[in-house]
Amino acid sequence: MKTLITGALGCSGKRLNDFIRLNFPKETIVLTDIFTDQSKEVIKVDLTNYQAVISLLEAHQFQQIYHLAGTFTNQYEVDYQANIVTTKNIFDAVIELKLDAQILLIGSAAEYGMIGKEDLPITENHPLNPIGFYGLTKKNQTALMDLYVRRFNLNIKMARTFNLKDPSISKRLFIGSLYHQIQQFLDHKTEHIEVGNTENKRDYIATTEAVRHYHTIMNKGKIGEVYNVGSGKSVLIEDMLMNLLKEYNISPSVVKKKTFDKPFPFDIKDIYADVSKLKQLYD
């Protein structure tokens, strides 16, 4: 089995690489990213360049492609290139090269957008109404999958991931920023940990657990299907904050909460996944 992991230098890419190497050591894994690392293990590839994608796939003839590369800047032009153009290039290259490859996409709970208490838990069939540009590009990525499965019979599945919890996750995300600030505080580089609204509830899943589900969806999921990847329950952000502070033996008194002039107009109070469809893959 020859496997490609795109976005390999990201948190999920690293965790997935570790998971496959540990549990399936006979698989040959090729790692790519827009950046490279000092070990040179990761191949630098710009997936927005179609010819670069053709060259990569032609050289390696992958049987499985985990497309983890992407961004969540919420700037449409940036997220469009990273989330949609890269995906379409991979699809088109697989078709042009006539590869018999399975493809896993990573969707997002941001696709669901505004939901109410009556909608919980959210199933994969819930209407997609994103409220930000990132969620919109992920919704369009889902639409691309649907089109290429129906028109070209590509073997594509999607893991629609909720919130990941990992100390090495991007600082642009709340939990990543929190872990970063905790480390800064422990290193005596700051005197405070600053947070925003902690009164909402979110569905968090450890990245190590999420990538295990990615592998299961790739190998057992149905073509063209979307699978929620989450814990199946929500946690109050305030509780998660306090638990992390306790874990690192930090007093809550160091926390400073930001105040906002006006409330965010699209404030989602609570969201968590219905993961029954995912669980069926383990039956």
Side-chain angles (χ1 to χ4, degrees):
M1 177 78 74
K2 199 163 192 179
T3 298
L4 170 65
I5 299 177
T6 72
L9 290 177
C11 178
S12 295
K14 291 176 180 177
R15 302 299 189 205
L16 178 61
N17 180 38
D18 291 342
F19 173 82
I20 295 176
R21 289 187 188 279
L22 177 64
N23 295 281
F24 304 92
K26 292 184 179 181
E27 288 193 26
T28 300
I29 305 173
V30 175
L31 308 173
T32 69
D33 203 286
I34 190 65
F35 307 104
T36 189
D37 63 351
Q38 292 181 344
S39 71
K40 306 299 181 184
E41 184 184 17
V42 178
I43 303 171
K44 184 176 181 180
V45 180
D46 180 0
L47 298 176
T48 65
N49 182 323
Y50 183 63
Q51 287 306 314
V53 177
I54 284 285
S55 297
L56 173 69
L57 270 57
E58 189 173 30
H60 294 280
Q61 302 287 309
F62 298 107
Q63 283 83 50
Q64 292 190 339
I65 299 172
Y66 290 89
H67 185 34
L68 272 59
T71 62
F72 41 87
T73 67
N74 220 23
Q75 301 174 50
Y76 183 75
E77 293 78 8
V78 176
D79 290 353
Y80 173 83
Q81 289 291 321
N83 300 334
I84 299 176
V85 173
T86 61
T87 301
K88 186 176 185 298
N89 283 347
I90 290 173
F91 291 173
D92 289 341
V94 168
I95 293 170
E96 182 174 334
L97 297 171
K98 297 181 173 59
L99 296 182
D100 183 17
Q102 297 172 274
I103 304 168
L104 181 75
L105 301 180
I106 308 301
S108 170
E111 297 175 66
Y112 292 124
M114 287 299 297
I115 53 94
K117 187 176 181 180
E118 67 279 4
D119 300 316
L120 298 175
I122 294 288
T123 70
E124 293 85 351
N125 294 325
H126 192 276
L128 304 181
N129 295 300
I131 56 177
F133 290 127
Y134 166 68
L136 178 62
T137 61
K138 282 298 185 178
K139 176 184 176 182
N140 290 343
Q141 190 183 52
T142 300
L144 269 181
M145 177 183 75
D146 292 340
L147 175 63
Y148 276 77
V149 168
R150 286 185 289 106
R151 184 169 177 180
F152 302 104
N153 199 33
L154 287 192
N155 188 335
I156 315 167
K157 301 129 184 188
M158 175 176 281
R160 184 170 288 150
T161 308
F162 281 62
N163 299 77
L164 295 174
K165 185 179 179 183
D166 196 296
S168 63
I169 207 160
S170 171
K171 291 184 290 185
R172 291 202 300 264
L173 298 172
F174 170 80
I175 192 68
S177 172
L178 184 54
Y179 273 117
H180 174 72
Q181 290 188 77
I182 286 174
Q183 191 58 56
Q184 291 286 97
F185 179 82
L186 293 175
D187 292 340
H188 306 290
K189 294 179 179 179
T190 183
E191 295 180 353
H192 301 287
I193 294 173
E194 194 171 77
V195 299
N197 179 19
T198 59
E199 298 306 312
N200 292 335
K201 300 175 75 176
R202 293 292 183 266
D203 185 333
Y204 275 91
I205 182 171
T207 309
T208 50
E209 184 71 5
V211 298
R212 180 175 71 89
H213 295 320
Y214 295 171
H215 189 271
T216 298
I217 294 168
M218 171 71 91
N219 290 280
K220 295 185 177 181
K222 294 181 180 179
I223 296 174
E225 291 293 320
V226 176
Y227 297 85
N228 282 339
V229 173
S231 67
K233 59 185 178 182
S234 59
V235 58
L236 186 68
I237 300 300
E238 178 73 14
D239 291 344
M240 186 170 66
L241 169 63
M242 292 299 113
N243 287 336
L244 274 177
L245 293 177
K246 184 178 180 180
E247 180 181 337
Y248 287 92
N249 198 27
I250 298 173
S251 170
S253 63
V254 307
V255 175
K256 291 180 66 176
K257 293 191 176 182
K258 299 177 187 176
T259 56
F260 301 93
D261 295 334
K262 55 180 72 174
F264 184 58
F266 301 104
D267 194 21
I268 301 171
K269 299 296 184 183
D270 191 7
I271 183 171
Y272 59 95
D274 183 324
V275 292
S276 56
K277 186 175 178 182
L278 175 65
K279 287 182 176 180
Q280 289 173 6
L281 299 181
Y282 292 93
D283 292 342

